[in-house]
């Protein structure tokens, strides 16, 4: 087995997740004779839904990872050893969990349940001005020896922590990059960017079923409503976006009070399958949008208009040299937008093009032929029966 320092460096260079880093670190430290029973590692993160990720290794269960949401009770942290250390400006503390301070922190009960006798805690700061929310890591160690850690074991752990912190920081930054790309540009686009498709104009032509959705009446409501409207808009957009993801599509961009989504046609997914997925997503979005309106009974209801079309689009980097958008453009996108604009005129929540309607898994009816703005020839449009 390579020495522990070399192994940590290797993980810092090539490691992919913190759980594996922590598990491997504990395994190798235990092999050196340190009788660990519990190790805890926590890192604040930059994530729309998760405030911090906790990693707990125990001899009985291995490594368990939990994401703590922004909404969860922050008081639990205020009562923790790490909050105490931050308030008292200490980077290292040591407690006996069976001594006079055994009841000081609730986590000591967890340590004792695992057969631990002490709690060695360290705060390791990153202090990077470009990522201020990645403040550092909190890590603790507990052992099973009745007299607790020996001085040389504490020295060994402290000597390894800078390397461990650096490896954790690199892995966290990579995770942050992936998460931010997934969140702000989408899963497929994010992976394309990470694989090097970053030059302006670089992309590919794909065939996809397109879903163009928009809230009817939101613009006028926004002129009179207050800050609470933002929270309500998020619920409506979630009602549109979640069904897209559930049906294997991808939201390419949010357009104020609407969105554009694509269901690519591939060797694994036929045109019939992609169009059917878009139709199922549209049906679910309408149902969930109605549910959002019911939650806001007494307020102006916001109906949802959806256009479904299928065609070739350019999928790639578009924009200015210093500010790019990874999205789709092309006649099919424009046509879907024009179709959605007819929902109000035709008094239909959903308008389908003929190439989507022809493979629809649900009954449809013709709305007749209509001229779309900017389109030379009339198009026959359809809606759900």
């Amino acid at each position: 087995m390579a020495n522990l320092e070399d192994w940590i460096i290797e993980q810092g260079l090539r490691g992919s997740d913190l759980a594996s880093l922590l598990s491997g670190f504990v395994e190798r430290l235990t092999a050196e004779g340190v009788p660990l029973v519990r190790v805890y590692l926590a890192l604040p993160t930059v994530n729309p839904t998760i405030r911090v990720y906790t990693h707990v290794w125990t001899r009985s269960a291995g490594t368990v990872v939990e994401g703590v949401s922004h909404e969860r009770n922050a008081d639990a942290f205020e009562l923790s050893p790490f909050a105490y250390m931050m308030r008292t400006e200490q980077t290292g503390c040591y407690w006996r969990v069976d001594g006079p301070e055994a009841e000081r922190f609730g986590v000591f009960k967890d340590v004792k349940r695992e057969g631990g006798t002490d709690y060695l805690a360290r705060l390791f700061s990153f202090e990077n001005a470009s990522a201020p929310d990645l403040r550092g890591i909190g890590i603790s160690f507990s052992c099973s020896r009745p007299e607790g850690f020996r001085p040389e074991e504490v020295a060994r752990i402290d000597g390894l922590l800078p390397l461990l912190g650096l490896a954790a920081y690199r892995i966290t930054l990579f995770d942050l990059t992936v998460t931010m790309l997934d969140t702000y540009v989408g899963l497929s686009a994010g992976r394309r960017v990470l694989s090097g498709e970053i030059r302006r104009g670089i992309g590919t032509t794909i065939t996809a079923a397109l879903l163009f959705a928009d809230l009817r009446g939101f613009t006028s409501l926004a002129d009179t409503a207050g800050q609470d409207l933002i929270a309500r808009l998020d619920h409506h957009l979630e009602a549109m976006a979640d069904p897209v993801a559930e049906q294997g599509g991808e939201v390419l961009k949010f357009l104020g009070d609407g969105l554009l989504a694509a269901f690519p046609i591939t060797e694994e997914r036929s045109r019939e399958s992609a169009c059917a997925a878009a139709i199922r997503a549209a049906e679910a979005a309408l149902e969930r949008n109605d549910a959002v309106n019911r939650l806001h009974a007494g307020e102006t209801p916001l109906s949802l208009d959806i256009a479904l079309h299928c065609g070739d689009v350019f999928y790639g980097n578009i924009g200015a040299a210093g500010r790019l958008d990874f999205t789709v453009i092309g006649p099919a996108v424009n046509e879907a937008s024009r179709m959605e604009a007819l929902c109000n005129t035709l008094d239909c929540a959903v308008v389908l093009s003929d190439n989507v309607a022809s493979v629809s898994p649900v009954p449809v009816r013709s709305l007749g032929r209509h001229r779309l703005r900017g389109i030379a020839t009339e198009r026959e449009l359809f809606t759900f029966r």
Side-chain angles (χ1 to χ4, degrees):
M1 181 182 295
N3 70 56
L4 185 45
E5 288 86 348
D6 289 345
W7 182 85
I8 296 173
I9 292 171
E10 180 72 13
Q11 294 305 299
L13 292 171
R14 298 180 176 85
S16 59
D17 67 277
L18 287 174
S20 297
L21 175 67
L22 180 63
S23 297
F25 176 76
V26 173
E27 173 189 332
R28 286 159 176 80
L29 198 57
T30 301
E32 291 185 5
V34 182
L36 297 170
V37 294
R38 185 183 187 274
V39 180
Y40 170 92
L41 186 151
L43 292 95
T45 188
V46 182
N47 186 290
T49 58
I50 302 299
R51 183 176 76 245
V52 62
Y53 282 102
T54 64
H55 303 71
V56 181
W57 176 91
T58 58
R59 196 156 57 187
S60 60
T63 300
V64 177
V65 182
E66 181 184 10
V68 180
S69 70
H70 294 282
E71 292 74 25
R72 267 184 53 179
N73 186 3
D75 292 342
F77 173 75
E78 293 303 319
L79 300 174
S80 71
F82 295 108
Y84 165 80
M85 292 167 66
M86 293 174 68
R87 287 193 299 268
T88 57
E89 299 182 346
Q90 299 184 74
T91 59
C93 283
Y94 179 78
W95 290 276
R96 294 283 303 183
V97 300
D98 54 358
E101 294 187 302
E103 304 301 321
R104 184 168 189 174
F105 302 109
V107 69
F108 289 174
K109 294 179 181 178
D110 296 333
V111 173
K112 286 191 283 187
R113 274 196 296 269
E114 293 295 331
T117 59
D118 54 2
Y119 191 89
L120 177 71
R122 297 289 187 262
L123 287 174
F124 197 90
S125 177
F126 297 150
E127 295 184 359
N128 189 328
S130 63
D133 279 353
L134 295 179
R135 291 168 291 177
I137 63 175
I139 188 165
S140 69
F141 302 84
S142 299
C143 78
S144 60
R145 189 182 293 115
E147 63 272 24
F149 285 111
R150 293 169 179 163
E152 62 271 21
E153 292 170 340
V154 174
R156 174 63 170 154
I157 290 171
D158 285 337
L160 292 168
L161 282 183
L163 283 178
L164 186 70
L166 189 59
Y169 189 44
R170 201 283 300 167
I171 293 172
T172 300
L173 283 178
F174 180 77
D175 287 345
L176 173 62
T177 300
V178 173
T179 298
M180 290 299 101
L181 284 171
D182 288 350
T183 300
Y184 286 97
V185 305
L187 181 62
S188 174
R191 296 302 187 269
R192 288 172 179 262
V193 170
L194 284 174
S195 66
E197 295 184 35
I198 57 175
R199 292 177 56 197
R200 183 168 57 170
I202 297 296
T204 185
T205 297
I206 65 171
T207 305
L210 302 174
L211 185 153
F212 198 102
D214 187 64
L215 285 174
R216 190 188 305 178
F218 180 81
T219 301
S220 58
L221 185 62
D223 292 336
T224 59
Q227 185 66 28
D228 290 345
L229 186 61
I230 300 299
R232 180 178 175 184
L233 176 59
D234 286 340
H235 293 150
H236 284 284
L237 292 174
E238 195 170 63
M240 305 177 211
D242 284 355
V244 170
E246 290 164 7
Q247 294 298 327
E250 181 172 358
V251 174
L252 299 175
K253 62 168 58 180
F254 289 99
L255 305 163
D257 58 345
L259 59 79
L260 171 64
F263 299 78
I265 296 169
T266 64
E267 291 183 1
E268 294 77 25
R269 172 180 260 178
S270 65
R271 181 170 73 93
E272 291 81 359
S273 177
C275 291
I279 288 172
R280 288 192 294 269
E283 290 180 311
L286 290 170
E287 293 177 1
R288 297 184 194 185
N289 188 71
D290 288 343
V292 173
N293 282 324
R294 289 194 294 272
L295 287 175
H296 295 272
E299 302 177 28
T300 303
L302 295 173
S303 57
L304 181 59
D305 293 335
I306 298 175
L308 299 173
H309 186 38
C310 183
D312 293 337
V313 295
F314 176 79
Y315 184 43
N317 287 288
I318 302 159
R323 178 63 176 87
L324 296 172
D325 193 8
F326 208 109
T327 187
V328 296
I329 60 170
V333 177
N334 297 334
E335 193 162 337
S337 174
R338 306 294 189 265
M339 289 166 53
E340 184 277 323
L342 286 178
C343 286
N344 191 17
T345 302
L346 299 173
D347 193 27
C348 292
V350 180
V351 173
L352 298 81
S353 65
D354 58 352
N355 57 6
V356 175
S358 64
V359 293
S360 173
V362 301
V364 298
R365 61 180 175 86
S366 176
L367 295 168
R369 300 186 70 82
H370 297 269
R371 184 170 297 280
L372 303 177
R373 183 168 59 88
I375 307 298
T377 59
E378 290 185 342
R379 298 284 197 264
E380 185 176 10
L381 302 178
F382 300 80
T383 191
F384 297 150
R385 186 175 297 171

